[in-house]
Amino acid sequence: QKAKPEDTEVWTPVPKVVAPVTLPGAPPADAIILFNGDNLDNWVSTRDTAQKAQWILAGDAFMVKKGTGNIQTKQAFTDYQLHIEWRIPQNITGNGQGRGNSGVFLGGWGKGDDGYEIQVLDSYNNKTYVNGQAGSIYKQKAPLVNSNLAPGEWNVYDIIWTGPRFNADGTLKSPARITAFLNGVLIQNNTEVQGTTVYIGKPSYKAHGPLPIKLQDHGD
Ligand code: MG
């Protein structure tokens, strides 16, 4: 039989109509708004997930309250596109890993730093190990370039997270993947994640389902 053009046309399912972003930083119509500029209602403390996040509202942003611990979303996710804007204080002091250190755990659990961290740090003019600078998958993969803005300016992360998949027996089926832009510049290109972030030693996987997004109180 002779092949026809119609043989390779796909008509369903039809992609959902989503109003596009018309202003920089504005959410698309189908976005889940995790922070609306007014309150932390969608966030809880990782020390007690029945407790509201104790971080500080400041204008239409919020700020780490040192010593109150990490915070996480109430909701859990598997795969997503994340838009998050972060700023290092203009009067930042310290150096290396102690200069505005925070982090976005693209999936995280527990009270501490268990999860998959993309680093937040002042890396505008601050030397540290490159797989620990802003935009790194912490201790795994340095960013492709350094597109940080100076302290006091808003940095923008646009991150595409594909969570890991596990077989029924708990073994890894497929690793997590991260594509990320910092201020519109590609910094991670479909990077394969080697496992959960560890400070000392080698990363590895253990099976889990959907996870909250967690933000780090590193004491900075
Ligand atoms: Mg960090």
Side-chain angles (χ1 to χ4, degrees):
Q1 281 221 326
K2 199 158 175 253
K4 305 186 295 294
E6 293 77 13
D7 295 343
T8 47
E9 292 175 0
V10 176
W11 286 75
T12 59
V14 178
K16 187 173 72 164
V17 175
V18 172
V21 173
T22 51
L23 290 168
D30 68 338
I32 296 168
I33 311 290
L34 295 172
F35 176 61
N36 61 6
D38 280 337
N39 60 65
L40 287 168
D41 289 357
N42 295 321
W43 298 82
V44 294
S45 166
T46 60
R47 290 184 181 166
D48 177 0
T49 54
Q51 280 248 346
K52 233 179 117 171
Q54 299 299 305
W55 291 15
I56 303 160
L57 287 162
D60 58 0
F62 65 86
M63 193 162 68
V64 179
K65 186 174 181 183
K66 284 198 250 187
T68 60
N70 297 339
I71 67 170
Q72 69 182 38
T73 55
K74 285 182 180 169
Q75 214 174 329
F77 305 95
T78 301
D79 305 321
Y80 56 79
Q81 172 186 351
L82 176 69
H83 177 92
I84 184 165
E85 302 173 10
W86 55 273
R87 181 172 62 178
I88 302 293
Q90 195 159 16
N91 60 353
I92 190 72
T93 57
N95 56 58
Q97 291 289 308
R99 192 176 165 85
N101 195 333
S102 184
V104 182
F105 293 90
L106 298 169
W109 60 89
K111 292 178 169 62
D113 289 346
D114 290 318
Y116 308 96
E117 182 184 5
I118 185 161
Q119 179 68 302
V120 169
L121 185 74
D122 175 29
S123 290
Y124 181 71
N125 187 13
N126 175 33
K127 196 169 180 179
T128 188
Y129 43 94
V130 297
N131 61 352
Q133 74 179 66
S136 66
I137 300 167
Y138 186 73
K139 288 275 180 92
Q140 292 189 27
K141 188 77 191 297
L144 294 166
V145 295
N146 181 340
S147 51
N148 284 262
L149 291 168
E153 308 267 359
W154 284 102
N155 287 284
V156 179
Y157 272 162
D158 288 290
I159 299 169
I160 296 142
W161 167 252
T162 304
R165 300 297 197 274
F166 298 93
N167 297 305
D169 66 358
T171 56
L172 184 68
K173 187 175 182 187
S174 58
R177 293 191 167 273
I178 297 175
T179 294
F181 297 83
L182 173 56
N183 300 319
V185 182
L186 184 69
I187 56 167
Q188 298 287 348
N189 185 5
N190 198 29
T191 303
E192 184 177 313
V193 179
Q194 295 157 43
T196 183
T197 301
V198 281
Y199 183 50
I200 300 169
K202 298 269 182 205
S204 63
Y205 278 103
K206 70 170 192 221
H208 59 73
L211 292 172
I213 295 169
K214 186 161 76 172
L215 301 178
Q216 189 182 42
D217 169 11
H218 195 273
D220 289 0

